[in-house]
């Protein structure tokens, strides 16, 4: 996969422009979230609330972008939770950031691309061949993987007892992670201070390079491993196949897998029931591409991995409401989450930018 995907033409920015501040629309509130994100987001919010004086109610309850990626949660999630409470695992920054600090506008919506159930195996085979032709990273002790992206989430925002569904302004997210996964740094507007915050804990993060190189590269063995891990702590509202698909997407989007593992991940995804090809999808920067996707029938949302139509490089991902859910909380066509990968690199120190000496 390319380290720096191609940039979009301004004419393709129409979806991203809808994320700019605007008048809020009235929509019902509330969403179910992956239970690990709920737990950690609540811990993070409770710590922030305890450290600051009372303020007028602005209470986003949807996905906390600080924990946008399940891959940034270590395998020993409860051990990390204890470290958070002790003030060890998450430190740095002034604690004043929050989802509410980002300018928000009306809920981002999109045209829903047509899904082709028969086209997914062939598309994933082409993508795996393209991934095999790229050189994967080698990360040595003392180095860090660096992933930069543009992201935005949609969530319910409550002010003075009135709740509306809003989308964040598109913003930068930068993550550094040591190869053993016990040290790193996060910078994200609204979720950290301008300087960022520490990602550290006694348990390694699942997306760390040393953990990735230990994963099996046989697609069948890899998929069995992913199913086993997702079964261990899966939210009962997320079906098993969907949990496996999302887990692979996390590894592809916000870690830096070696090339042989990327190939195996794509081939494993082709074996998951319900995976489809989508003829058109748009990442957070407005770049159009083709997508590999799977719908969660529990909440009617489709997770899409977006690829350049020519190079098949991974551009980003998004989650779209494609079917009305039982609660009717999000309209069909609402983009619940969107991202665009802007750079992947290996750097020589924590918080070091690519191309600059530490």
């Amino acid at each position: 996969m390319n380290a720096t995907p191609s940039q979009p033409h301004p004419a393709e920015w129409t979806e991203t422009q809808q994320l700019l501040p605007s008048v809020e629309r009235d929509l019902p509130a509330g969403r179910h979230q992956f239970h690990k994100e709920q737990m950690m987001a609540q811990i993070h919010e409770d710590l922030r609330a305890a450290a600051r004086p009372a303020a007028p109610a602005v209470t986003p309850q949807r996905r906390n972008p600080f924990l946008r990626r399940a891959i940034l949660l270590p395998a020993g999630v409860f051990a990390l939770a204890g470290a958070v409470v002790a003030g060890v695992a998450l430190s740095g920054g002034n604690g004043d950031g929050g989802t509410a600090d980002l300018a928000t506008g009306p809920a981002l919506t999109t045209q829903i691309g047509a899904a082709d159930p028969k086209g997914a195996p062939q598309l994933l085979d082409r993508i795996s061949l393209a991934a095999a032709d790229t050189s994967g990273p080698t990360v040595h002790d003392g180095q860090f993987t660096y992933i930069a992206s543009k992201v935005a989430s949609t969530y319910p925002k409550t002010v003075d007892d009135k709740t509306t569904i809003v989308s964040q302004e598109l913003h930068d997210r930068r993550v550094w992670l040591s190869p053993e996964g016990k040290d790193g740094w996060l910078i994200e507007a609204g979720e950290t201070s301008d300087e960022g915050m520490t990602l550290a804990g006694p348990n390694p993060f699942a997306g760390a390079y040393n953990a990735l190189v230990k994963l099996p590269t046989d697609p069948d063995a890899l998929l069995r491993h992913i199913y086993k891990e997702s079964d261990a702590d899966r939210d009962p509202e997320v079906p098993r196949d969907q949990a496996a698909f999302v887990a692979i997407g996390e590894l592809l989007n916000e870690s830096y897998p070696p090339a042989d593992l990327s190939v195996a991940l794509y081939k494993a995804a082709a074996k998951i029931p319900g995976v489809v090809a989508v003829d058109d999808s748009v990442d957070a920067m407005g770049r159009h591409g083709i997508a590999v996707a799977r719908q969660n029938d529990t909440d009617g949302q489709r997770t899409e991995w977006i690829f350049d139509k020519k190079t098949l490089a991974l551009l980003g991902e998004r989650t779209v409401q494609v079917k009305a859910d039982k609660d009717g909380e999000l309209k069909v066509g609402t983009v619940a989450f969107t991202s665009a990968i802007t750079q992947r690199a290996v750097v020589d120190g924590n918080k070091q930018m690519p191309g600059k000496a530490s």
Side-chain angles (χ1 to χ4, degrees):
M1 71 189 71
N2 290 357
T4 307
S6 57
Q7 298 300 309
H9 187 279
E12 297 178 343
W13 292 350
T14 53
E15 292 198 2
T16 302
Q17 289 171 348
Q18 296 182 54
L19 288 168
L20 297 177
S22 182
V23 178
E24 297 176 1
R25 298 173 183 171
D26 291 329
L27 284 173
R31 297 296 311 157
H32 292 297
Q33 289 302 315
F34 199 74
H35 72 289
K36 290 194 296 189
E37 292 192 62
Q38 285 181 315
M39 179 187 70
M40 296 300 293
Q42 187 60 56
I43 291 171
H44 183 57
E45 180 59 32
D46 288 347
L47 288 172
R48 282 197 313 219
R52 65 183 180 227
V58 180
T59 57
Q61 299 171 9
R62 199 177 164 76
R63 176 197 297 268
N64 183 335
F66 162 67
L67 293 167
R68 174 175 82 84
R69 296 283 179 206
I71 205 61
L72 281 183
L73 294 174
V77 64
F78 293 105
L80 178 62
V84 174
V85 174
V88 174
L90 303 178
S91 62
N94 57 18
D96 294 334
T99 313
D101 294 337
L102 290 175
T104 53
L108 175 65
T109 59
T110 188
Q111 295 291 324
I112 299 173
D116 177 11
K118 296 182 179 180
Q122 182 180 8
L123 176 57
L124 280 163
D125 185 59
R126 290 171 53 211
I127 292 170
S128 67
L129 289 173
D133 288 338
T134 63
S135 57
T138 299
V139 187
H140 301 288
D141 290 345
Q143 293 185 314
F144 286 74
T145 55
Y146 169 79
I147 298 97
S149 57
K150 299 277 189 179
V151 300
S153 293
T154 298
Y155 62 90
K157 177 180 179 180
T158 301
V159 180
D160 296 332
D161 297 325
K162 181 180 179 181
T163 300
T164 54
I165 299 295
V166 297
S167 291
Q168 297 171 326
E169 182 179 359
L170 190 68
H171 59 280
D172 291 322
R173 177 181 171 88
R174 298 186 180 115
V175 178
W176 289 261
L177 195 60
S178 63
E180 77 283 353
K182 292 185 178 181
D183 192 17
W185 196 256
L186 169 72
I187 299 176
E188 182 172 356
E191 295 304 319
T192 71
S193 72
D194 292 341
E195 293 79 17
M197 70 189 302
T198 296
L199 297 175
N203 298 285
F205 289 96
Y209 182 79
N210 288 358
L212 296 178
V213 297
K214 294 178 181 178
L215 291 176
T217 54
D218 173 78
D220 292 310
L222 179 60
L223 187 57
R224 287 195 297 270
H225 174 82
I226 290 169
Y227 274 129
K228 181 179 178 181
E229 291 299 309
S230 63
D231 281 343
D233 52 11
R234 180 171 51 87
D235 187 321
E237 295 195 13
V238 180
R240 182 172 182 259
D241 290 330
Q242 184 69 12
F245 184 81
V246 170
I248 292 175
E250 305 293 2
L251 289 170
L252 291 168
N253 277 275
E254 201 166 65
S255 66
Y256 202 172
D260 58 347
L261 179 60
S262 293
V263 172
L265 287 167
Y266 292 128
K267 290 184 176 181
K271 299 175 180 292
I272 299 175
V275 174
V276 301
V278 178
D279 63 346
D280 184 64
S281 185
V282 186
D283 75 2
M285 292 175 60
R287 299 176 296 194
H288 284 260
I290 52 178
V292 174
R294 194 181 191 284
Q295 180 176 320
N296 181 2
D297 290 328
T298 302
D299 60 13
Q301 292 186 354
R302 188 168 75 190
T303 299
E304 302 176 349
W305 309 337
I306 307 164
F307 299 86
D308 185 279
K309 292 182 179 180
K310 294 182 179 179
T311 68
L312 300 179
L314 180 63
L315 301 177
E317 70 169 342
R318 70 178 185 178
T319 301
V320 181
Q321 195 75 35
V322 296
K323 179 182 177 182
D325 66 357
K326 58 184 179 181
D327 297 323
E329 295 162 344
L330 293 184
K331 292 182 178 180
V332 172
T334 300
V335 179
F337 171 74
T338 183
S339 75
I341 301 166
T342 57
Q343 190 173 24
R344 299 179 198 260
V346 177
V347 296
D348 291 329
N350 200 5
K351 297 181 278 185
Q352 179 183 326
M353 295 298 295
K356 296 183 179 180
S358 57

